[in-house]
Amino acid sequence: MRVLILAVLSAWLGFGQIFASADVSHPPLESYGELPSVRYMDLSPSGDRVAYAERRDGSDYLVTFDFHTRKKSYHVKIDDVATRGIWFADEDNIIIRASETKFVIGFRGEFDYSGAFSYNLKTKKLKFLLRGTDNIYPAQGGLGKIVGDDADPGYIFMPAWMGDRYSDPNYSLVRVNMKTGKGRLFKSGTGDTVDWFVDTDGTVLAREDYDNGSDTYRVYTYLNGNRELIYELETSQPPPGVTGIKSDKSALIFSDGETHEESGNVYELDFDGNKTPITLGGRGGMIERVIRDGNRFVVGVKYSGAVPSYTFFDPDVDAAVSGLVNQFSTAAVHLVSWTDDWSKLLYLIYGSDTPGSYVLQDLETGQMTLIADERADIPPEAIGQVVAVNYQARDDLNIPAILTWPAGADLHTANTLPLIVMPHGGPASHDRVTFDWMAQYFANRGYLVLQPNFRGSTGYSSEHEDLGKGEWGGKMQDDITDGLNALVEQGLADPDRVCIVGASYGGYAALAGGAFTPELYSCVVAIAPVTDLRPFLRDVKWDYGRDHWVIDYWQENVGHLDDEREKLNSISPARSADRFQAPVLLIHGKDDTVVPIKQSEIMKRALEKAGKDVTLVELKGEDHWLSDGDTRIETLRAMAGFVDQHIGAIAN
């Protein structure tokens, strides 16, 4: 099985050597484990300033930078909750979305509670949006979602569950005053409503419902003043559905989740319910997302893969973005923001000598301006080269992957390197060219890192993703093993110095590697892993209810809780603890609402009972995503010591 190198990231802006200098600096571990120093940058509608979160001394601050005065302003500390996003609602109001794990008396368990704040640059006041709004349901996640701007300055549209704790709530549309933070019911939904699409004048162009009892998905419009049903589909799981609005308001951009030869999986759905295949250009491959404005009018699409590409409906914008992508042909160029008139575009670019750089493109002058780096304390020479590769699985399926080379290594002469296999979470996700803080830390310390996009991964084709159904612990795991073996066969990796590391599904895959191919690994690190599938699925059923569509998803992708007991046990690492040979490090946030910490506790007890070497690190106050800088550092410190101990530190 030969590894085919598809692309090597050359130095950013085309300068420097393809291979990093042997004179490598080694930033402290904290530089990698801490949250990026600059995050969530957004361009104001006029392009006069940017706003972002800046990390200083372990805390987040809302910061703006004015291009005219060249002044940076610190506005407010935003560190009590996990920051999830920052953007301009209008020229004066900045939205901050954040979340925290909460427990509400009288409701089931903990949940990830999100909310949104508005900060007014003139009044300097921070308001919690929807607080004080009449009839807001007391226990709900996703409360910080914003679906549109109002033409009246200072107002936005937000969906929220409405109702008291003694009645069944409805998912309704609320018009919110950013000055006061209070909202007023704008349009009532039902308990089946899942999303709203609204024009700036308040016209509800689409409402999506999913009836879990009858397995029916519906799309309604209020375009003519009254609610009209325009689309209905019987399906056991909600489809992607409406993803945006056509710019001329003649149709919705829609996906039914099925791939069709003539159109892919994206249509125009007009307001009479007619579906028309649309072609969004052949520049990329699988559509990763549609690119939308504040009211979710579609302006273009972003294609997935190792590095992204784009198609825009406006030919001038398309030419500008395509030109920049071509200029940085081996880097990952992410369009993150733009002005109302599209005269200025803001990008986040990952290349071989930047840990992520925010760059402003002025279409009128042609000027490119570097605004800030995500991680100012990691110099170019410390960055490991990122390489996109393909290899063949044992059944000849093509598996895309990402390799991160040790910083300073010559790709032509490197051999028998200590290897970290790092499967991604999801598993409906994929690894790509980026600055991965875990992979880059280990690459800086002399390790080769493999991140395989095994079957079941998104980003390459719907067929590749579908091949993962029912293959937890099976062919998905074989794909990971085959990547490791390919590197060993080529002489790049030392088979006696391999550790498997992962988080979430990747944590499951790490433990599955330790259980089902124990001879391959010298150590195993699993962060927030699923370890015993039957107890996990019982918890899912308890959380959602026996007949919820989420249960159907798990049955389709993993197995049936009641009918496939033997299968679920056979692919659960906790049920094969006696097969482990390598020591195991478990790391889990105590506030994880996605995979409860008891999954790691089950694994620890099983390994201890089997007489195996296991350590569990519990992260106080941490969620599923390692959102806190202090606990990220704690996680990386535990991992680094463990991996160095068992497969040897190369550089310190």
Side-chain angles (χ1 to χ4, degrees):
M1 290 178 289
R2 290 186 57 81
V3 175
L4 172 63
I5 296 182
L6 297 177
V8 179
L9 289 186
S10 57
W12 191 55
L13 289 177
F15 300 116
Q17 300 298 314
I18 289 179
F19 306 118
S21 166
D23 184 18
V24 177
S25 65
H26 301 290
L29 177 147
E30 291 77 10
S31 296
Y32 295 88
E34 178 61 282
L35 296 171
S37 51
V38 173
R39 314 196 315 282
Y40 305 124
M41 186 176 288
D42 190 58
L43 188 62
S44 70
S46 68
D48 290 342
R49 58 172 71 93
V50 289
Y52 53 93
E54 182 173 315
R55 191 78 171 165
R56 292 183 62 192
D57 301 323
S59 296
D60 281 348
Y61 294 84
L62 174 64
V63 175
T64 57
F65 179 78
D66 189 299
F67 293 116
H68 297 296
T69 64
R70 313 302 297 176
K71 179 182 177 182
K72 182 166 74 170
S73 301
Y74 291 85
H75 297 283
V76 63
K77 188 175 180 180
I78 48 175
D79 203 50
D80 293 334
V81 291
T83 306
R84 303 296 186 192
I86 290 175
W87 66 94
F88 282 92
D90 54 39
E91 204 64 36
D92 297 324
N93 290 286
I94 298 172
I95 301 296
I96 305 161
R97 189 173 183 188
S99 71
E100 64 177 331
T101 302
K102 291 191 70 172
F103 176 82
V104 178
I105 296 175
F107 296 90
R108 289 185 175 186
E110 293 183 323
F111 62 96
D112 190 56
Y113 175 84
S114 68
F117 302 80
S118 66
Y119 180 80
N120 188 283
L121 292 170
K122 291 183 176 178
T123 66
K124 309 299 182 183
K125 291 183 178 180
L126 185 71
K127 291 292 183 180
F128 189 0
L129 300 179
L130 292 178
R131 174 171 286 180
T133 299
D134 292 340
N135 213 33
I136 285 286
Y137 194 64
Q140 58 178 301
L143 194 59
K145 184 176 181 179
I146 297 171
V147 297
D149 300 322
D150 193 305
D152 188 356
Y155 288 86
I156 54 177
F157 293 103
M158 301 177 69
W161 289 98
M162 307 294 286
D164 59 39
R165 67 175 63 225
Y166 305 107
S167 60
D168 293 331
N170 296 323
Y171 197 56
S172 298
L173 188 63
V174 182
R175 185 172 182 262
V176 182
N177 184 326
M178 288 185 284
K179 183 177 180 180
T180 65
K182 292 184 178 182
R184 177 175 293 180
L185 179 65
F186 187 78
K187 191 74 70 175
S188 294
T190 73
D192 295 330
T193 302
V194 294
D195 206 355
W196 295 85
F197 292 79
V198 59
D199 201 350
T200 55
D201 64 1
T203 301
V204 175
L205 298 174
R207 187 188 98 191
E208 293 182 284
D209 285 19
Y210 182 74
D211 185 335
N212 196 77
S214 64
D215 292 342
T216 305
Y217 166 80
R218 298 182 176 94
V219 180
Y220 299 93
T221 185
Y222 295 75
L223 183 62
N224 297 318
N226 298 314
R227 179 173 63 102
E228 299 177 40
L229 177 66
I230 60 172
Y231 184 81
E232 186 172 88
L233 176 69
E234 289 188 15
T235 173
S236 61
Q237 299 174 36
V242 181
T243 57
I245 307 163
K246 194 175 178 183
S247 58
D248 63 3
K249 306 180 186 179
S250 65
L252 307 171
I253 305 300
F254 174 82
S255 173
D256 59 10
E258 299 292 332
T259 300
H260 303 274
E261 183 176 349
E262 74 277 8
S263 65
N265 61 358
V266 181
Y267 299 90
E268 291 181 9
L269 177 67
D270 69 24
F271 294 103
D272 292 321
N274 301 308
K275 290 195 303 182
T276 305
I278 58 175
T279 301
L280 295 169
R283 188 175 298 131
M286 186 176 182
I287 294 174
E288 179 175 307
R289 68 180 180 91
V290 296
I291 301 172
R292 311 175 297 189
D293 67 11
N295 285 72
R296 300 195 284 180
F297 283 85
V298 176
V299 297
V301 296
K302 179 181 181 181
Y303 299 99
S304 60
V307 294
S309 56
Y310 302 85
T311 294
F312 288 88
F313 297 129
D314 186 307
D316 293 333
V317 174
D318 191 64
V321 176
S322 298
L324 192 70
V325 169
N326 292 334
Q327 180 180 345
F328 301 103
S329 59
T330 55
V333 177
H334 299 277
L335 177 65
V336 296
S337 183
W338 53 87
T339 56
D340 281 349
D341 62 2
W342 288 87
S343 64
K344 295 182 177 66
L345 309 179
L346 179 67
Y347 301 90
L348 177 58
I349 302 176
Y350 294 103
S352 63
D353 59 352
T354 172
S357 295
Y358 285 99
V359 176
L360 184 67
Q361 180 186 32
D362 190 320
L363 300 191
E364 294 178 352
T365 66
Q367 184 177 3
M368 298 284 294
T369 304
L370 173 64
I371 301 175
D373 289 331
E374 277 196 315
R375 295 177 181 269
D377 51 354
I378 297 182
E381 66 273 12
I383 299 173
Q385 300 291 307
V386 182
V387 182
V389 303
N390 282 350
Y391 61 86
Q392 299 302 116
R394 63 192 68 184
D395 61 358
D396 293 327
L397 182 68
N398 182 65
I399 305 297
I402 299 295
L403 282 180
T404 304
W405 289 82
D410 187 321
L411 276 64
H412 293 306
T413 61
N415 61 83
T416 59
L417 295 165
L419 173 66
I420 294 177
V421 179
M422 192 178 291
H424 61 71
S429 178
H430 65 280
D431 282 314
R432 66 191 80 195
V433 171
T434 188
F435 186 91
D436 184 301
W437 58 279
M438 285 188 186
Q440 284 291 339
Y441 170 79
F442 284 109
N444 182 262
R445 266 53 179 181
Y447 296 96
L448 177 64
V449 182
L450 170 67
Q451 295 173 281
N453 287 307
F454 42 82
R455 72 193 71 198
S457 302
T458 59
Y460 292 91
S461 72
S462 56
E463 291 81 7
H464 190 79
E465 182 178 355
D466 288 343
L467 286 171
K469 291 179 179 178
E471 294 296 340
W472 281 48
K475 292 180 181 179
M476 292 167 74
Q477 199 68 31
D478 292 342
D479 293 344
I480 297 169
T481 299
D482 293 343
L484 185 165
N485 288 336
L487 294 176
V488 171
E489 288 172 13
Q490 285 200 326
L492 298 174
D494 183 348
D496 296 323
R497 290 193 294 168
V498 182
C499 186
I500 185 166
V501 174
S504 194
Y505 174 83
Y508 164 84
L511 292 170
F516 307 136
T517 51
E519 71 282 357
L520 296 179
Y521 301 107
S522 297
C523 58
V524 175
V525 180
I527 304 168
V530 175
T531 69
D532 195 343
L533 282 160
R534 289 181 61 241
F536 175 74
L537 294 178
R538 282 197 297 268
D539 285 343
V540 171
K541 183 175 287 189
W542 188 87
D543 286 340
Y544 288 94
R546 179 175 296 273
D547 298 323
H548 198 278
W549 67 264
V550 170
I551 308 302
D552 181 78
Y553 165 85
W554 282 106
Q555 290 178 173
E556 181 180 57
N557 285 274
V558 180
H560 197 288
L561 176 60
D562 299 320
D563 299 337
E564 296 181 276
R565 176 173 179 166
E566 290 186 8
K567 175 191 175 183
L568 294 174
N569 286 345
S570 71
I571 61 175
S572 294
R575 303 279 178 164
S576 295
D578 59 320
R579 299 179 60 181
F580 278 77
Q581 297 176 16
V584 175
L585 174 63
L586 301 167
I587 302 173
H588 216 125
K590 298 186 74 172
D591 288 348
D592 192 332
T593 60
V594 178
V595 179
I597 193 172
K598 71 178 181 181
Q599 281 287 309
S600 282
E601 294 168 346
I602 289 171
M603 190 76 233
K604 180 175 183 286
R605 287 195 299 269
L607 288 168
E608 288 176 337
K609 184 177 180 180
K612 306 300 181 179
D613 184 347
V614 59
T615 302
L616 171 59
V617 175
E618 298 183 1
L619 303 175
K620 184 178 180 181
E622 186 54 275
D623 58 24
H624 187 68
W625 304 278
L626 297 178
S627 300
D628 183 77
D630 290 339
T631 48
R632 273 198 184 193
I633 292 170
E634 181 182 353
T635 296
L636 191 55
R637 186 176 292 120
M639 292 170 60
F642 184 78
V643 171
D644 287 349
Q645 176 186 351
H646 294 291
I647 63 174
I650 305 304
N652 289 294

